[in-house]
Amino acid sequence: MTIQEHYSLKKYNTFGVEAFADYFVEVSTFTELKKALLFRRQHDLPILFIGGGSNMLFVNDFKGLALKLNLSGIEIVQETDEHVWVKAQGSENWHEFIQWTLSKDFGGLENLSLIPGNVGTAPIQNIGAYGIEAKDSITEVQALALDTGDERLFSNEECEFSYRESVFKNNYKGDYVIVAVTFKLTKHTHVLHLDYGAIRQELGANTTPTIQQISEAVIRIRQSKLPDPAKIGNSGSFFKNPIVDVKAFEKIYALHPTMAHYPMGDHVKIAAGWLIEQAGWKGKRFGDAGVHDKQALVLVNHGGATGREIYDLSENIIADIYAKFGVRIEREVNMIL
Ligand code: EPU
């Protein structure tokens, strides 16, 4: 384990922007992780965990210790006739983990195929797509407290999951690092989630798909809309879809009756991609920072953009959407300011 100084993080963020960490270390065992946490305490440094680097934007250099975790392994920890509990270490690549579950015919995660990032970061923002969220399958999250190095197990309830939120982004922000996650999956009695419009359309005449076929359909849909970070820097949806109360919604809807939205009881989720497209930002480019031309919720780095340029673009979009629709959209991506 070597602690390096003034280390480039360009290859560790899917936006591909340049940023330097004062200190950088890679750890592959719990012992190394505890040593790195001790170094951080001794030097009183801010800490940043680098997982898949798929949900962060470096607006500035990081004045602290950037820690890259390499904890791998997947194991079945419990089994009944109908279910299996699978524990995956935090640094397992999310999509490869799903492919492993599908190779065993374990169901539950297929709709979340191809989401960038690692297993350990999935609970933080409760990743979701095509009608399901990580919280629907997570039974336990294993974490280490940054201050003491002590282990803590969080039940699903203790994670306080909601739309793109968890306790790890809120009350316990910066307090824990997630080292492993356990998922409860189905063995035969798979529950298929086909209702998200594009999925049925993609499956066409196949109304009784296998979980593997659902995964393939999701992959095709994502590939048609979302840019591949290996080719064009991005972090998936940059903004969250805003959730407003019915009264506020009705006011906006009266003026914009074609607005894409999803009722949620006494609230309504508005499609931020629709708002951004209607405001004229889709496909726009400012130097190398831009808005993706197939999905306006995604900001992209066409090559040489700085984190600051992408951040400034996001500020301009937020202000413009507020001016045009009276809705304040929020970022989903974690800003390193
Ligand atoms: N829309 C537009 N213009 C756009 C983009 C979207 O009008 O440029 C409209 C669409 O026509 C549709 C609605 O907005 O009526 C929703 O679009 P879409 O199905 O593409 O989903 P989304 O709400 O924009 C969310 C997630 C995605 C996830 C998809 C599918 C958030 C912040 N994003 O996007 O997640 O893949 O649903 O479930 O909730 C991610 O978080 O990184 C991500 C890609």
Side-chain angles (χ1 to χ4, degrees):
M1 185 185 97
T2 320
I3 294 176
Q4 310 199 54
E5 288 185 42
H6 192 66
Y7 195 85
S8 169
L9 300 173
K10 189 168 180 175
K11 68 173 187 205
Y12 294 114
N13 71 96
T14 58
F15 259 118
V17 299
E18 185 59 283
F20 289 87
D22 282 355
Y23 299 95
F24 175 84
V25 66
E26 276 194 66
V27 304
S28 306
T29 62
F30 267 36
T31 315
E32 286 182 349
L33 175 57
K34 288 188 177 178
K35 263 193 203 160
L37 292 180
L38 186 65
F39 172 86
R40 175 250 173 173
R41 279 203 298 279
Q42 283 165 345
H43 295 80
D44 196 20
L45 296 169
I47 192 161
L48 177 71
F49 287 92
I50 312 269
S54 59
N55 200 41
M56 48 175 70
L57 178 67
F58 289 102
V59 184
N60 285 307
D61 288 339
F62 182 64
K63 302 268 161 228
L65 173 67
L67 197 153
K68 172 100 172 67
L69 273 179
N70 295 323
L71 301 172
S72 57
I74 301 172
E75 57 178 327
I76 294 172
V77 289
Q78 195 185 333
E79 211 165 339
T80 61
D81 283 348
E82 292 196 348
H83 291 101
V84 60
W85 284 255
V86 179
K87 179 175 177 181
Q89 297 296 309
S91 313
E92 287 291 337
N93 173 273
W94 177 256
H95 180 66
E96 284 166 24
F97 168 59
I98 294 188
Q99 294 309 304
W100 180 92
T101 65
L102 294 172
S103 74
K104 307 271 184 217
D105 203 29
F106 297 156
L109 301 175
E110 53 281 357
N111 294 41
L112 302 179
S113 298
L114 212 62
I115 294 184
N118 289 350
V119 166
T121 44
I124 300 176
Q125 58 150 342
N126 178 27
I127 58 173
Y130 305 106
I132 69 166
E133 294 180 329
K135 74 167 172 57
D136 303 332
S137 305
I138 292 175
T139 56
E140 193 169 80
V141 170
Q142 184 186 354
L144 290 190
L146 296 187
D147 279 347
T148 58
D150 289 347
E151 181 186 318
R152 174 163 170 192
L153 294 176
F154 288 81
S155 66
N156 181 296
E157 292 72 31
E158 286 169 327
C159 293
E160 294 175 19
F161 290 124
S162 61
Y163 170 61
R164 295 297 193 273
E165 294 290 345
S166 77
V167 76
F168 305 108
K169 267 178 93 172
N170 294 296
N171 284 356
Y172 289 145
K173 187 175 164 112
D175 293 347
Y176 288 92
V177 53
I178 295 172
V179 291
V181 184
T182 305
F183 302 86
K184 182 183 177 187
L185 305 173
T186 49
K187 282 165 78 173
H188 325 282
T189 47
H190 302 316
V191 184
L192 308 185
H193 295 269
L194 307 174
D195 287 332
Y196 203 94
I199 294 202
R200 275 201 204 283
Q201 211 176 317
E202 184 65 35
L203 288 165
N206 183 2
T207 51
T208 52
T210 62
I211 51 176
Q212 291 78 6
Q213 287 168 335
I214 295 176
S215 166
E216 286 158 16
V218 166
I219 291 171
R220 285 196 299 274
I221 299 168
R222 289 188 74 95
Q223 284 176 336
S224 71
K225 281 195 185 181
L226 299 168
D228 176 359
K231 296 189 186 125
I232 176 162
N234 77 91
S235 218
S237 301
F238 195 88
F239 303 99
K240 291 195 282 190
N241 288 323
I243 297 173
V244 299
D245 62 41
V246 169
K247 239 173 129 185
F249 167 76
E250 278 169 356
K251 256 168 95 180
I252 312 166
Y253 193 56
L255 298 171
H256 307 281
T258 58
M259 180 167 71
H261 64 279
Y262 312 92
M264 301 173 71
D266 54 359
H267 284 74
V268 180
K269 193 193 268 185
I270 297 177
W274 185 93
L275 297 173
I276 299 169
E277 177 172 352
Q278 296 300 312
W281 291 94
K282 195 172 185 171
K284 283 272 164 68
R285 185 173 170 164
F286 305 86
D288 273 346
V291 181
H292 188 47
D293 57 356
K294 297 195 186 76
Q295 165 51 292
L297 213 44
V298 178
L299 300 191
V300 293
N301 174 8
H302 287 286
T306 62
R308 171 66 60 184
E309 286 166 340
I310 295 167
Y311 179 80
D312 288 347
L313 171 59
S314 74
E315 285 280 280
N316 292 338
I317 293 173
I318 291 169
D320 189 45
I321 297 302
Y322 188 68
K324 290 194 168 114
F325 299 98
V327 180
R328 197 165 286 283
I329 56 171
E330 289 174 14
R331 296 179 189 88
E332 180 195 283
V333 170
N334 186 17
M335 297 297 113
I336 312 301
L337 292 164

